[in-house]
Amino acid sequence: MPKPFHTVLAGTLLLLGLWSPLAQALTITVASFPDLDRAARAALPRWRALHPDIEVKIVSRQYADHHTAMTAALATGSGLPDVMALDLRFIGKFAAGRGLSDLGAPPFQAQQLRAQFVAYSWPQGTSPRGEFVAMPTDIGPGTLLYRQDLMARAGISEAELTGSWEQFIAAGIKLKAATGAYLLADSTDIRDIVLRTGLAPGEGLYFDSQGRVLVDSPRFVRAFELGRAARRAGIDAHAPAWTNDWVAGFRRDKIASQMMGAWLAGHLKNWLAPASAGQWRSTQLPNGVFASYGGSFYAIPAKSEHKQAAWDFIRFMCADAETQLQSLRTLDSFPALKAAQQDALFDEPMPYLGGQRARRLWREIASQVQAVPVHRLDALATDVVRAEYELVVSKGKDIPSALADARAMIEHRVRRP
Amino acid sequence: MKSLLRQLGGRAAAPYLFVAPFFLLFAAFGLFPLLFSIVLSLHQWDASAGLGAMQWVGLQNYWYALTDPWFRSSLGHTFWYGLAAGLPQHLLALPLAYYIHRRLKRSRNFVVGSYFLPYITSSVAIALIFSTLLSKDFGFINLILPGTPRDWLGDADYAMPAIAFVVFWRYLGWNLVLYLSALQVIDESLYEAATLDGAGPWQQFRHITLPLLRPMIYFAVTMTIIGSLQLFDEPFILVDSESGVAPAVMTTAMFMYRMAFSYGDFGTASAISWLLFLVIAALSWGNHRLFGQAGGEHGR
């Protein structure tokens, strides 16, 4: 064999050897939904600098489509991403199956990170079998956002709004008489928050730790009674969240407060009610309640082919303070990571909230929220309770009958083999 | 191509070769899902756990669906929509088509196009526009109606008629075009002969038009039955699925979707789809008895 050929061959092999790491650069797929995908995209430049050997491909679908697609992918085992973003409300359903990796088990050992996260967020990602299947990235400490200008016009103090539920409803009547505005978007806002109040340790919203149905407990009776009282007082706009009427209510100064996760302040500022900037304030939920609204998580499908890289990405998104702060700046999402909550950003005044340093309050709320376990039938129980509540407030059905019917309906489902 | 044909048996194989893509696609996207859903309806399956998690339960999913109050109420709502939205479609489309056929000349295409437009418009766009029009506090409908504003989409008593109206409005044009096309093939000499015999417009409609339209009525009503029993888009988009009123306006197709994708029970969802199929088949057979046989005779 002539020498030049040897030289060419050696050179080619050397080039191939040099280039092969690049040619075979690992690509992981992250399936996400708006606006969580924006946080991941914003974090990519830093990720590339830290992990030049792992490419990240973000596939984003609309909120409902994403969760439907993930259900189908887990069902068929095809089209699975390496990292799966999940909204809190879907965790129960996804955690009930065995399609997600246990992040608490080797090689992930996620429990080592537990102390770094807001206490209540960790159980939210834990399945009834005790497997930790979804890592929290952002949380929604519950707050009452209200229009300070409308309250001032009606002579309502913040103490009246945050006192007892009876005081809150009385304030709503006063507000309606003075300004014509509704204190609540929908009476279900009260119902839902009272349902989250006074849970026994280990008790879920609808099921206790033994899986027994709780929907006719005093907690539900109280929630239904207060919701009905608000409806009868005429202080709600009959506008469930995210509907056209809800959006119009904010824009036309017809809805004066909203109990929701702290992240709503970002939505109000960006698109719901930018015109009323400076007029909104944030405070504690009424009646001394601490609750959370929603949250986003990352999970790894059990059939993912690049679990280690996926885990690196999840840690980068969830357990890296700088990434979490960047998400906060990008989305106004509230970090689940406690280290991120200690940043000076939390002491900055928020112009949209009239210069209020609201993130301090939200941090305090987050530290007080109690963990609520999820159940695989939470989605069904939610629908059943909503339907019965509707019959109570609009058709006059009595509360004990409504709750008894709700219980029978949920038990019908629970009794399935 | 020639050599390929020769290898496969010459010209005789050609038709099979040309239709093969359809059958392959049908097998993959039509037949397989159909058969799989039968299998699925006999299993309990947690979809997020993969195909290996399927458990044989026999007819339990069917029994569970039949004893579920929401399945029964959803079936009731579906029938209600079928009657409230489907029946007027035909009662109005038929005389309207007759009027357009007999009276309108120059403006006919424009009028027919106008009626047909909702049918080809995206159901999502339609539902979004109507949800704005029907808004309680800010909607145009409440603005022009006297009295207390009605919660059109937040109260089942109003939401069901509102949805039925949207469905009726949307499919009226489709039926109109069907009847118009059938009217155009009726021999004009029949009307001329009837006129000579002294028959008036009503008698001509009653004794010539209606009998000769029977095959088309059979077809159009069958399509309405199938469409009504599968109604999904309009109620799904118009009524917020998270509101308490949603179960009170839920159709069977919506319940099937929720059973699968909200409650994660694909087995029962499949069973519901087959129960719905049986209902559609029974009603279509009834419709065949009513219009089809007589229509067939006239159609020969």
Side-chain angles (χ1 to χ4, degrees), chain A residues 68 74-75 89 93 97 99 237-238 240 244-245 248 252 379-380 383 386-387 390 395 409 412-413 416-417, chain B residues 44-48 50-51 60-61 64 67 70 131-132 135-136 138 151 155 157 242 244 258 261 263 265 268:
Chain A
T68 303
L74 285 169
R89 53 196 292 208
K93 194 178 84 175
H238 299 216
N244 285 348
D245 282 353
R252 299 184 187 205
L380 172 92
D383 284 352
R386 281 175 178 162
E390 186 61 30
K395 305 288 172 213
M409 181 92 175
H412 172 66
R413 184 87 197 145
R416 292 219 64 198
Chain B
Q44 193 171 12
W45 183 39
D46 172 13
S48 62
L51 287 168
Q60 277 183 21
N61 288 330
Y64 174 72
T67 54
W70 277 4
S131 68
T132 306
S135 160
K136 182 173 87 66
F138 317 107
D151 195 359
D155 183 333
D157 291 345
E242 291 191 13
R258 288 189 85 100
F261 291 102
Y263 312 146
D265 189 345
T268 306

Side-chain angles (χ1 to χ4, degrees), chain B residues 85-108:
Chain B
L87 198 61
Q89 280 172 32
H90 298 275
L91 293 179
L92 197 63
L94 222 161
L96 207 56
Y98 184 69
Y99 175 79
I100 290 171
H101 177 64
R102 306 291 295 172
R103 303 280 179 198
L104 298 188
K105 299 291 174 211
R106 275 190 198 168
S107 59
R108 190 157 101 165

Side-chain angles (χ1 to χ4, degrees), chain B residues 59-142:
Chain B
L59 293 173
Q60 277 183 21
N61 288 330
Y62 289 89
W63 178 246
Y64 174 72
L66 289 169
T67 54
D68 189 290
W70 277 4
F71 172 70
R72 294 198 297 264
S73 65
S74 73
L75 209 52
H77 301 150
T78 308
F79 283 130
W80 191 93
Y81 287 125
L83 284 173
L87 198 61
Q89 280 172 32
H90 298 275
L91 293 179
L92 197 63
L94 222 161
L96 207 56
Y98 184 69
Y99 175 79
I100 290 171
H101 177 64
R102 306 291 295 172
R103 303 280 179 198
L104 298 188
K105 299 291 174 211
R106 275 190 198 168
S107 59
R108 190 157 101 165
N109 289 342
F110 174 75
V111 171
V112 174
S114 303
Y115 277 109
F116 197 65
L117 198 61
Y119 179 72
I120 54 168
T121 305
S122 150
S123 55
V124 176
I126 287 172
L128 286 174
I129 288 169
F130 271 93
S131 68
T132 306
L133 290 173
L134 294 165
S135 160
K136 182 173 87 66
D137 285 326
F138 317 107
F140 179 72
I141 308 289
N142 275 342

